[in-house]
């Protein structure tokens, strides 16, 4: 019973207590109104309780969304006042039609205002048609009651002074049913449930008015009980309708406010209209003559139906004109659009093509119909078009790209998006010529991965290739020219550039075609080749030999050598191999010019870790999560940094970059990244701290960009936390060593509400350009990197400048490496928002973190 859970607890208690109160009060209330009216006091209490509940609901609703529900709230207050007056002062003061009845009628008609406001929110509402329809229903109801000789319109047995009141109650019932029925029959999807509930309440109010009139005509506790029960139920329905209304306003657009039919309103209107001929038939069978009022009512109904027919004809004519005009505008838009529009069926046959689409596809108007789209695509792209179209719903996913042949030229590249009506078999394609754009994109991609001077792959492409998992042994050479500075000093930078181009040419002469030669920057180069470390050493010596030959540049001859460091990728990941080769290069430089040094056995290589299994590690409890805290100036924990920890039975504890390197070696980077995101979100969700955030780092050379946004969204959704509680942290090196897809993925992640943090702020080469490329929320700076080890004062001075800069940029700042109380106090004085380091709680499990949070402060003050 899902609907019962939607009912507020106070409303449930009001139902129970109101039913009990009426059961006890009705037998002791005088039907003729001369004695104490206990039942009206109970109804007043029910109305007051409903008014309180509606006002509470209005407080949490947006102003626009609450606007339709103010009249019922005020009406409930007025109804309660009227009932308390009538119940507390029996006798001539409030007997007959008096002040209490005026207040009662004003409050009881308030739902009509709500119905009118809701009808206004339905797009294309025709008020003239609504008025005529409402009048038809009202008059039809009055005719039915007149034909059937009901006391509501013929109160012959009522006291002379109360007949007007009986007629008023009857007219009220007809007006409420007709007006609310017509205005609430058509609503929007967002308001349909509340409109239906309100309509039921209005029907109960009309029933209560009829029962009240009968109680005047024929005083009896039965009519009193029926009237009181219907009034109480109507109040409760109005309250429930307010609680079912959306909290936020719905934008009045064609999609948000499209008409939706309410079954309850439709039944009420149809019953009223069809009830009139049925009542006439019953009267004829009983031999009852029609009264003048009935005949007049029938004439009015027929007149109104005729008027409604005229309005319908005019509306249909207007709609037809609008449709014709829209079709002409649409056709003109299609004909003049530079983008092509085509319609295909399930078999890819072209059913319609615009002139631009025919130009793009290379067909003419005579052969445009019943041509298969697949026949127009180059054979190599047909399978991709067939699979891409059927694999995803229209309008979902990325645009589809395919090529169409062009006589005497390169194939034309088209970008296609599509739309499809639900349940339809036809799909509308939107085609755009992207040949020039794709050429530019490929050129930009080539430039992004190419050194502009030598034409060699650059550092970014090298690290991308280092991240590729391969079962074949590979070796990495990192080399630096000896004596290159003298070339620039003597012959100038142009001569130096010529020499670098010659170096690139010579390197290609000593490697195979499938080996990768890259320029790292300046006079540093790298070679990634297939083979063992011995093969790498052999190539390194050939490099030294070829670089020892004289160079001719700028009209002069120079002797420039090279030193080389060699590492293997057979046992370590790409990032670790580069660090090892770079260390070996430094050893070679220290040994003298023209030297080759091999990297020592990497400490990351651990015997027995080849079978690294995350599933087994989780089952055995060897892969776990540790939290380092980041605290505010008051010592409270605002953010924690999640780090994966692997407890190996032989190696011991492996964490941080060491663990990422091991995962890189065995191709488990995506698994580790996915596990870390999910565990970090799940761990923070267990803590009763809705404002506590968790940061996850994307390490340099090990960030998996593919599907990152989807992984983040899944982790956040599964944990049930707010996206803003998750922070993705990365360095400039992470962006440089990852694929070009990382920045778009980070932008997609931030659009979901997840925050981004730049680690190592100020330590990169192009920090301001990076701030323009990637939308950031936080930055982290390592205090120890701002000055020499013992110069804390200078580090804090630089830190204060960084704090002012980030504050001006609207970023929150985090200071890392806080190891002493002096550094902590200095960072706070510098204006840093959060502190992180060994002076604060670190290496905590989720349970340890919960204990720290329970203590209230992480830092003793």
């Amino acid at each position: 019973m899902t609907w019962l859970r939607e009912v507020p607890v106070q409303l449930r208690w009001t139902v129970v207590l109101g039913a009990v109160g009426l059961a006890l009060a009705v037998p002791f209330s005088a039907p003729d109104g001369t004695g104490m009216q206990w039942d009206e006091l109970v109804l007043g209490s029910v109305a007051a309780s409903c008014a309180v509940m509606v006002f509470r609901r209005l407080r949490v609703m947006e102003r626009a969304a609450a606007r339709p529900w103010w009249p019922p709230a005020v009406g409930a207050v007025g109804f309660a006042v009227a009932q308390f007056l009538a119940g507390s002062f029996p006798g001539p003061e409030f007997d007959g039609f008096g002040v209490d009845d005026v207040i009662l009628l004003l409050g009881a008609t308030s739902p009509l205002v709500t119905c009118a406001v809701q009808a206004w929110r339905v797009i294309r509402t025709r008020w003239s048609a609504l008025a005529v329809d409402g009048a038809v229903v009202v008059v039809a109801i009055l005719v039915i009651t007149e034909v059937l000789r009901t006391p509501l319109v013929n109160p012959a047995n009522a006291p002379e002074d109360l007949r007007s009141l009986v007629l008023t109650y009857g007219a009220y019932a007809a007006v409420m049913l007709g007006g609310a029925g017509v205005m609430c029959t058509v609503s929007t999807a967002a308001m349909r449930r509340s409109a239906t509930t309100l309509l039921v309440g209005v029907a109960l109010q009309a029933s209560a008015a009829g029962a009240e009139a009968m109680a005047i005509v024929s005083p009896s506790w039965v009519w009193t009980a029926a009237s009181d029960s219907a009034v109480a139920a109507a109040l409760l329905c109005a309250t429930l309708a307010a609680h079912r209304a959306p909290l936020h306003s719905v934008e009045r657009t064609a999609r948000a406010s499209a008409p939706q039919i309410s079954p309850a309103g439709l039944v009420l209107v149809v019953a009223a209209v069809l009830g009139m001929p049925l009542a006439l038939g019953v009267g004829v069978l009983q031999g009852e003559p029609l009264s003048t009022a009935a005949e007049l009512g029938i004439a009015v109904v027929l007149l109104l139906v005729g008027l409604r027919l005229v309005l319908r004809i005019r509306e249909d004519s207007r709609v037809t004109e609008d449709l014709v005009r829209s079709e002409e505008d649409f056709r003109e838009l299609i004909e003049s659009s530079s983008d092509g529009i085509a319609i295909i069926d399930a078999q890819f046959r072209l059913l319609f093509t615009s002139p631009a689409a025919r130009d793009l596809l290379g067909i003419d108007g005579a052969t445009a119909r019943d041509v298969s789209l697949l026949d127009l695509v180059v054979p190599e792209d047909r399978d991709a078009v067939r699979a891409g179209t059927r694999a995803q719903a229209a309008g979902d996913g990325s645009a589809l790209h395919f090529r169409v042949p062009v006589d005497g030229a390169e194939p034309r590249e088209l970008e296609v998006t599509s739309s499809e009506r639900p349940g339809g078999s036809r799909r509308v394609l939107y085609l755009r010529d992207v040949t020039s754009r794709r050429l530019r994109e490929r050129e930009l991609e080539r430039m992004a991965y190419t050194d502009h001077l030598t034409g060699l792959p650059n550092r970014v492409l090298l690290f991308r290739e280092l991240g590729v998992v391969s079962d074949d042994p590979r070796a990495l050479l990192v080399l630096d020219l000896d004596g290159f500075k003298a070339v620039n000093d003597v012959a100038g930078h142009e001569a130096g550039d010529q020499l670098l181009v010659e170096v690139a040419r010579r390197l290609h002469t000593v490697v195979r075609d499938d080996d990768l030669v890259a320029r790292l920057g300046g006079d540093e180069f790298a070679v990634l080749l297939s083979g063992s470390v011995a093969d790498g050493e052999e190539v390194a010596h050939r490099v030294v030999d070829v670089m020892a030959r004289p160079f001719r540049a700028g009209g002069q001859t120079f002797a420039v050598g090279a030193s080389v460091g060699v590492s293997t990728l057979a046992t370590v990941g790409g990032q670790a191999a580069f660090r090892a080769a770079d260390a070996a290069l430094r050893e070679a430089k220290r040994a003298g010019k023209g030297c080759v040094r091999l990297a020592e056995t990497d400490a990351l290589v651990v015997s027995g870790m080849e079978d690294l299994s995350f599933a087994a590690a989780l089952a055995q409890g060897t892969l776990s999560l540790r939290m380092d805290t980041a605290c505010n100036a008051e010592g409270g924990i605002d953010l924690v940094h999640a780090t994966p920890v692997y407890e190996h039975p032989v190696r011991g504890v492996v964490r941080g970059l060491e663990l990422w390197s091991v995962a890189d070696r065995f191709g488990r980077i995506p698994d580790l990244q996915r596990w870390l995101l999910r565990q970090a979100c799940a761990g923070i969700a267990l803590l009763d701290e809705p404002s506590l955030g968790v940061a996850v780092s994307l390490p340099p050379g090990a960030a998996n960009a593919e599907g990152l946004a989807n992984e983040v969204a899944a982790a956040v959704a599964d944990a049930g936390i707010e996206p803003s509680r998750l922070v993705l942290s990365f360095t400039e090196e992470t962006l440089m060593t990852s694929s070009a897809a990382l920045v778009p993925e980070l932008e997609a992640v931030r659009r979901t509400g997840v925050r981004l943090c730049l680690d190592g702020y100020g330590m990169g080469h192009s920090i301001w350009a990076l701030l323009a490329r990637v939308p950031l929320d936080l930055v982290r700076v390592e205090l120890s990197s701002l000055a020499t080890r013992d110069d804390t004062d200078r580090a804090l001075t630089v830190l204060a400048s960084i704090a002012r800069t980030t504050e001006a940029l609207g970023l929150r700042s985090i200071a890392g490496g806080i190891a002493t109380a002096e550094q902590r106090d200095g960072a706070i004085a510098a204006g840093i928002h959060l502190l992180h380091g060994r002076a604060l709680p670190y290496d905590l499990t989720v349970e340890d973190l919960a204990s720290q949070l329970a203590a209230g402060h992480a830092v003793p003050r």
Side-chain angles (χ1 to χ4, degrees), residues 783-788 791-800 802:
L783 186 63
S784 59
S785 64
L786 301 182
T788 58
D791 197 353
T792 302
D793 292 339
R794 180 172 178 78
L796 291 176
T797 300
V798 177
L799 186 64
I802 292 176

Side-chain angles (χ1 to χ4, degrees), residues 121 247 361 514 518 717 775 799 817 834:
R121 292 189 173 184
L247 292 174
L361 295 173
D514 56 348
L799 186 64
L834 297 177

Side-chain angles (χ1 to χ4, degrees), residues 690-702:
S691 62
L692 180 65
V694 60
V696 173
S697 292
L698 303 177

Side-chain angles (χ1 to χ4, degrees), residues 508-765:
H508 276 296
T509 65
V510 297
V511 298
R512 295 185 292 265
D513 291 340
D514 56 348
D515 294 334
L516 176 68
V517 178
R519 183 188 177 200
L520 301 178
D523 60 344
E524 292 187 349
F525 295 81
V527 178
L528 178 62
L529 55 87
S530 300
S532 64
V533 67
D535 297 329
E537 183 179 11
E538 179 185 352
V539 173
H541 284 292
R542 291 207 301 267
V543 168
V544 170
D545 292 340
V546 76
M547 293 302 163
R549 300 171 188 170
F551 286 89
R552 186 75 178 171
Q556 301 184 48
T557 302
F558 296 93
V560 177
S563 300
V564 185
V566 183
S567 177
T568 178
L569 278 79
T571 54
V572 296
Q575 187 74 16
F578 181 82
R579 289 196 297 267
D582 192 50
L585 173 62
R586 291 194 296 272
E587 291 293 329
K589 298 288 283 187
R590 282 193 290 267
K593 297 181 179 180
C595 293
V596 175
R597 289 293 182 268
L598 304 182
E600 298 179 359
T601 302
D602 201 293
L604 298 180
V605 182
V606 180
S607 175
M609 292 186 69
E610 289 80 0
D611 59 346
L612 177 63
S613 169
F614 283 84
L618 287 173
Q620 300 167 7
T622 53
L623 188 64
S624 59
L625 199 67
R626 293 291 188 274
M627 304 283 195
D628 298 335
T629 63
C631 303
N632 55 36
E634 289 73 31
I637 302 175
D638 284 359
L639 186 70
V640 293
H641 179 251
T643 304
V645 175
Y646 180 59
E647 299 180 17
H648 191 267
V650 177
R651 175 69 177 173
V653 176
V654 182
R655 69 172 68 221
L657 289 177
E658 188 177 7
L659 179 57
W660 286 101
S661 297
V662 175
D664 182 20
R665 165 68 185 90
F666 300 112
R668 306 308 296 270
I669 288 281
D671 294 333
L672 181 57
Q673 180 173 287
R674 189 179 306 109
W675 177 88
L676 179 58
L677 285 169
R678 289 183 176 273
Q679 288 298 115
C681 293
I684 210 72
L686 296 175
L687 304 172
D688 189 20
E689 291 289 338
S691 62
L692 180 65
V694 60
V696 173
S697 292
L698 303 177
N704 182 44
E706 184 177 356
L708 176 63
N710 291 333
E711 287 184 3
V712 170
V716 170
D718 291 346
I721 63 173
E722 289 294 325
S724 59
R725 296 183 64 185
L726 177 62
V727 177
L728 286 189
S729 176
F730 52 89
T731 64
E732 184 178 350
E733 188 178 1
T734 302
L735 299 178
M736 293 179 61
T737 57
S738 299
S739 69
L742 181 58
V743 172
E745 288 288 330
L746 290 174
E747 292 174 345
V749 165
R750 191 173 185 272
R751 283 195 295 270
T752 65
V754 175
R755 294 180 291 170
L756 301 182
C757 175
L758 175 64
D759 198 359
Y761 176 80
M763 299 298 106
H765 301 287

